[in-house]
């Protein structure tokens, strides 16, 4: 029997250290069995495996991404977009006092827009699943498209594009049009730029848990890093009108031009006779101020409000030209008896525009365009106003309070931010200040109206020295922005700001209507067989502006009768 030595047995005070193996159990020489030690026989196949380490393979788990992709990302983006759209409707209803029905109308328009995105969502799901559709027809075998087919395909593809942030303002505007509200594109543009309704950095309205799961390109689509251009909103509304008309055969109602025209006449401090003149011009051109339908070569200058404001400019230039020439009326009750003092009007308009900076603060909407060089010229009050704007626009208190790597409170306490007033309270105060400034401008301009001289038709017929200038004579046309100067430029800039377009677009739109007046005068001459019209071409001898710029317009029996010189008004401009 073979023994091996080990520790002391210890059973019944046994001091034996020699052991042997009996049926796999360890037993000391005195016969005591040692518990807990069982000897097993080593298999011959396991020879040489002593010291080998074997590790159990664990299941590899993929790291779950916190950012959504494909269909889920698109769905989350649309939910975030819908939240911003609801906040804009809330601001229009509660801050701008629009009717509550606007929310339901915008909701229906948004529901139709979502139907067009269904195919894009299906494509996103297929690409996420790894499917790809192939066509057995090569590009060379595809039938050639004409211009109409390409236009239809363009609007079909645009319906599947994700909506941009500017489209939310367009949906709110079209909702107001469906309710027949006298809402101007210029008002929507001004409210968005001055942050009276949510638009600048609208992504801050999205909850943090939703922003953390949105891809970067979707977050960028909900953010605004540059100011809103004047023509951008008009172009977006123009495209939305075409989009709804093409996909749903939806025709928007005509503009509520009587109320909107009165609002523009009041805001621009023009005499009430301009309202009547614009209505007569619209009847002369058979203009119903309806939204255009999808046709070829249509620009956004065909929007009804741009047409309305173009006729307003023409009527103002007819009754109250910007030159200093004396014009006379034939009767004391003739429209245009009172003329505008344009020097007083320009000064009143300048004071009205500077009301936003009269208290030393920055103008609303200008903070986004500031550069590093502007900081050195800003006053202390302007710096405080800019920092308040930055706190309200860029700082996210909810994100800072929950972020794991947030700055320590000891450092944050060194730069207290303070408490800002509610945006609704600020908007109400500014609206009241705007109304007071507008009333003051109206009072100044109306008090400066001057009485025109009166020369009857009999007295004018006896005049032998020079012909008597009547209202509408020596009509001045501006073919480009470079020709605008002095009073004319100030007036055009005020009108362009009121409707929310650039100065160049307004000049081209007015020129298009003036060219239509030329065509109308030519048609009248042909219809009368070359006979005289009540509107006479004045030329340079009468108007002092040269034959290429002279046009006479008269009011006959309450109607506008026009004849213009085609040499001076037949070129340039944009077709409406």
């Amino acid at each position: 029997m073979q023994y091996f030595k080990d520790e002391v047995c210890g059973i019944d005070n046994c001091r034996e250290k020699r052991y042997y193996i009996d049926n796999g159990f360890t037993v000391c020489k005195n016969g005591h069995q040692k518990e807990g030690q069982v000897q097993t026989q080593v298999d011959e196949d396991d020879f040489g495996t002593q010291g080998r380490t074997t590790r159990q393979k664990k299941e590899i788990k993929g790291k779950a991404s916190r950012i959504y992709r494909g269909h889920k990302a698109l769905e989350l983006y649309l939910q975030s977009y819908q939240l911003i759209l609801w906040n804009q409707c809330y601001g229009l209803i509660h801050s701008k006092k629009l009717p509550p029905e606007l929310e339901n109308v915008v909701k229906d328009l948004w529901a139709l827009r979502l139907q067009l995105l269904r195919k894009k969502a299906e494509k996103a799901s297929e690409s996420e699943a790894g499917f790809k559709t192939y066509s057995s027809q090569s590009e060379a075998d595809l039938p050639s498209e004409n211009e109409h087919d390409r236009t239809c395909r363009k609007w079909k593809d645009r319906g599947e594009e994700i909506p941009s942030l500017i489209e939310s303002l367009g949906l709110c505007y079209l909702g107001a049009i469906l309710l027949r509200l006298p809402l101007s594109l210029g008002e929507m543009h001004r409210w968005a730029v001055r942050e009276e309704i949510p638009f600048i950095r609208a992504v801050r309205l999205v909850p943090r848990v939703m922003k953390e799961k949105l891809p970067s390109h979707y977050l960028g689509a909900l953010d605004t890093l540059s100011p809103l251009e004047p023509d951008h909103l008009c172009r977006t509304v123009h495209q939305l009108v075409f989009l709804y008309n093409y996909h749903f055969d939806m025709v928007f109602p005509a503009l509520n031009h009587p109320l909107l025209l009165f609002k523009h006449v009041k805001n621009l401090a023009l005499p009430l006779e301009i309202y009547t003149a614009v209505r007569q011009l619209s009847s002369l051109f058979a203009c119903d101020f309806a939204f255009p339908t999808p046709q070829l070569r249509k620009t956004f200058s065909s929007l009804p409000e741009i047409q309305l404001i173009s006729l307003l400019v023409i009527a103002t230039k007819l009754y109250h030209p910007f030159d200093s020439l004396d014009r006379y009326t034939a009767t004391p009750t003739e429209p245009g008896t009172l003329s505008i003092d344009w020097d007083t009007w320009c000064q009143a308009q300048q004071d009205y525009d500077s009301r936003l900076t009269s208290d030393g603060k920055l103008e609303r909407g200008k903070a986004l365009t500031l550069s590093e060089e502007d900081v050195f010229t800003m006053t202390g009050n302007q710096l405080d106003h800019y920092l308040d704007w930055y706190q309200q626009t860029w700082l996210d208190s909810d994100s800072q309070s929950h972020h794991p790597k947030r700055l320590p409170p000891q450092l944050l306490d060194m730069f207290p931010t303070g408490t800002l007033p509610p945006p609704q309270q600020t908007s109400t105060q500014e609206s009241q200040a705007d109304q007071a400034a507008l009333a003051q401008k109206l009072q100044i301009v109306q008090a400066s109206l001057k009485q025109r001289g009166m020369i009857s038709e009999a007295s004018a017929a006896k005049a032998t020295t020079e012909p008597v200038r009547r209202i509408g004579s020596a009509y001045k046309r501006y073919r480009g922005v470079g020709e605008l100067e002095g009073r004319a430029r100030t007036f055009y800039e005020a009108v362009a700001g009121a409707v929310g377009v650039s100065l160049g677009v307004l000049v081209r739109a007015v020129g298009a209507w003036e060219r239509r007046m030329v065509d109308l005068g030519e048609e009248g001459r042909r219809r009368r067989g070359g006979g005289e019209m009540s509107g006479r071409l004045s030329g340079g001898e009468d108007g002092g502006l040269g034959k290429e710029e002279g046009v006479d317009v008269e009011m006959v029996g309450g109607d506008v009768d026009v004849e213009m010189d085609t040499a001076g008004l037949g070129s340039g401009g944009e077709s409406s």
Side-chain angles (χ1 to χ4, degrees):
M1 183 176 295
Q2 294 182 355
Y3 293 96
F4 63 92
K5 288 186 177 182
D6 200 356
E7 60 183 7
V8 177
C9 174
I11 300 176
D12 295 335
N13 295 324
C14 177
R15 309 299 298 175
E16 187 60 49
K17 295 184 178 179
R18 290 173 293 179
Y19 295 90
Y20 63 93
I21 303 299
D22 184 14
N23 294 329
F25 296 99
T26 303
V27 183
C28 71
K29 187 177 181 181
N30 295 331
H32 300 132
Q33 182 178 344
K34 194 171 183 180
E35 297 180 358
Q37 294 186 4
V38 180
Q39 183 69 27
T40 58
Q41 187 176 1
V42 180
D43 194 356
E44 294 180 357
D45 296 335
D46 294 337
F47 177 78
T49 59
Q50 186 175 3
R52 180 183 299 176
T53 303
T54 304
R55 293 182 175 87
Q56 184 180 3
K57 294 183 179 180
K58 297 182 180 180
E59 182 180 359
I60 300 177
K61 297 181 179 180
K63 185 178 180 181
S65 177
R66 297 176 59 185
I67 299 178
Y68 288 165
R69 303 292 179 187
H71 174 70
K72 296 180 66 176
L74 177 61
E75 183 179 358
L76 185 60
Y77 172 79
L78 294 177
Q79 292 175 355
S80 305
Y81 190 95
Q82 182 171 316
L83 179 61
I84 295 174
L85 184 61
W86 178 85
N87 277 277
Q88 291 176 346
C89 293
Y90 183 87
L92 290 173
I93 293 172
H94 292 82
S95 299
K96 301 304 175 184
K97 307 304 179 183
L98 296 186
E101 292 80 10
L102 177 65
E103 182 178 350
N104 294 330
V105 177
V106 174
K107 180 181 178 182
D108 294 338
L109 291 175
W110 174 241
L112 294 176
R113 187 70 175 89
L114 289 178
Q115 292 183 14
L116 302 178
L117 297 172
R118 184 179 304 171
K119 292 183 179 180
K120 184 176 181 64
E122 293 175 355
K123 292 180 182 179
S125 300
E126 291 178 359
S127 61
E128 190 176 0
F131 298 109
K132 188 175 181 180
T133 304
Y134 295 92
S135 175
S136 59
Q137 192 176 15
S138 63
E139 294 183 0
D141 298 334
L142 293 175
S144 59
E145 294 180 331
N146 54 26
E147 195 169 2
H148 177 71
D149 295 336
R150 285 194 298 269
T151 303
C152 294
R153 182 167 55 84
K154 178 184 70 173
W155 290 113
K156 182 179 179 181
D157 295 340
R158 284 188 179 181
E160 298 180 4
E161 296 177 357
I162 61 172
S164 58
L165 183 61
I166 186 64
E167 288 188 25
S168 61
L169 297 178
L171 291 175
C172 293
Y173 173 77
L174 292 179
I177 292 299
L178 289 173
L179 293 175
R180 303 284 291 164
L181 300 177
L183 182 63
S184 172
L185 282 168
E187 288 179 311
M188 289 293 299
H189 180 270
R190 184 166 58 254
W191 293 341
V193 169
R194 294 174 58 179
E195 301 180 43
E196 297 181 19
I197 57 176
F199 179 75
I200 303 297
R201 295 218 73 242
V203 69
R204 70 181 186 272
L205 302 175
V206 181
R208 180 180 58 89
V209 293
M210 299 176 66
K211 288 189 291 188
E212 290 178 349
K213 299 178 181 180
L214 277 175
S216 58
H217 60 280
Y218 282 145
L219 280 175
L222 298 176
D223 203 351
T224 50
L225 301 179
S226 60
L228 180 61
E229 296 297 331
D231 302 332
H232 198 180
L233 180 58
C234 294
R235 187 178 295 108
T236 302
V237 171
H238 182 260
Q239 294 175 355
L240 284 176
V241 170
F242 283 6
L243 192 69
Y244 281 101
N245 185 276
Y246 174 78
H247 287 280
F248 305 106
D249 292 332
M250 185 174 180
V251 179
F252 288 88
L255 202 68
N256 192 357
H257 61 279
L259 295 180
L260 187 59
L261 175 59
F262 178 78
K263 177 186 289 187
H264 283 310
V265 170
K266 178 182 177 183
N267 292 339
L268 293 172
L270 299 175
L272 286 178
E273 60 200 23
I274 300 298
Y275 177 89
T276 306
V278 174
R279 297 294 299 271
Q280 292 172 352
L281 285 174
S282 62
S283 300
L284 179 68
F285 294 114
C287 182
D288 56 355
F289 302 106
F291 282 89
T293 55
Q295 295 177 0
L296 303 179
R297 303 182 64 84
K298 280 288 187 179
T299 61
F300 67 89
S301 60
S302 60
L303 288 175
E305 187 172 359
I306 300 182
Q307 298 177 4
L308 178 68
I309 209 70
S310 300
L311 295 181
L312 183 142
V313 173
I314 293 175
T316 304
K317 291 167 63 177
L318 288 173
Y319 278 99
H320 307 280
F322 306 116
D323 54 39
S324 301
L325 299 176
D326 294 330
R327 292 171 178 82
Y328 302 91
T329 60
T331 60
T333 59
E334 182 179 345
T337 303
L338 297 177
S339 63
I340 297 177
D341 185 354
W342 282 111
D343 293 333
T344 304
W345 188 94
C346 292
Q347 184 62 41
Q349 182 66 33
Q350 183 179 357
D351 296 340
Y352 178 76
D353 293 336
S354 63
R355 73 192 185 281
L356 302 175
T357 57
S358 58
D359 54 354
K361 295 183 179 180
L362 286 176
E363 182 180 351
R364 293 290 295 270
K366 297 297 183 182
L368 194 62
T369 61
L370 291 178
S371 61
E372 296 85 352
E373 300 176 354
D374 298 329
V375 177
F376 297 100
T377 59
M378 295 169 61
T379 63
N381 195 13
Q382 290 176 341
L383 285 173
D384 292 340
H385 186 258
Y386 176 77
L387 292 177
D388 291 342
W389 171 83
Y390 191 91
Q391 175 187 349
Q392 183 178 3
T393 307
W394 292 89
L395 295 186
D396 192 352
S397 58
D398 181 70
S399 175
Q400 283 291 329
S401 59
H402 294 85
H403 201 279
K405 296 182 180 180
R406 64 187 298 266
L407 296 174
Q410 294 82 0
L411 182 60
L412 294 176
D413 292 341
M414 297 174 62
F415 304 95
T417 55
T419 303
L420 297 178
Q424 185 175 0
Q425 179 182 355
T426 305
S427 178
T428 304
Q429 295 175 354
E430 292 181 351
S431 179
Q432 295 174 355
D434 290 346
Q435 294 296 328
L438 178 59
Q440 183 179 3
K441 182 178 75 170
L442 283 170
Q443 183 178 2
I444 293 175
V445 174
Q446 295 296 326
S448 64
L449 294 178
K450 297 181 295 184
Q451 179 79 27
R452 275 199 176 101
M454 185 184 68
I455 300 178
S456 63
E457 292 292 345
S459 302
K462 297 178 183 179
T464 57
T465 55
E466 60 180 11
V468 178
R469 297 190 186 94
R470 297 297 187 185
I471 297 176
S473 62
Y475 184 90
K476 173 71 174 179
R477 183 200 176 193
Y478 302 97
R479 299 174 180 83
V481 179
E483 297 183 5
L484 294 173
E485 57 183 9
R487 304 167 176 176
R489 189 177 187 89
T490 303
F491 178 75
Y492 269 75
E493 288 177 349
V495 174
V499 77
V501 296
S502 62
L503 196 58
V505 170
L506 178 62
V507 172
R508 291 193 298 269
V510 173
W513 283 99
E514 289 172 340
R515 223 173 38 250
R516 291 186 62 180
M517 294 175 70
V518 173
D519 299 337
L520 188 63
E522 290 292 333
E523 182 182 355
R525 278 198 297 267
R526 289 193 300 267
R527 189 168 55 247
R528 289 173 170 82
E532 294 184 356
M533 297 178 62
S534 55
R536 301 174 306 279
L537 176 65
S538 62
E541 297 179 358
D542 180 33
L545 298 175
K547 185 176 181 179
E548 293 186 353
E549 298 173 346
V551 176
D552 276 353
V553 181
E554 282 189 346
M555 304 292 296
V556 180
D559 297 327
V560 179
D561 204 353
V562 186
E563 179 169 321
M564 296 189 176
D565 184 9
T566 57
L569 302 180
S571 61
E574 178 186 356
S575 180
S576 62

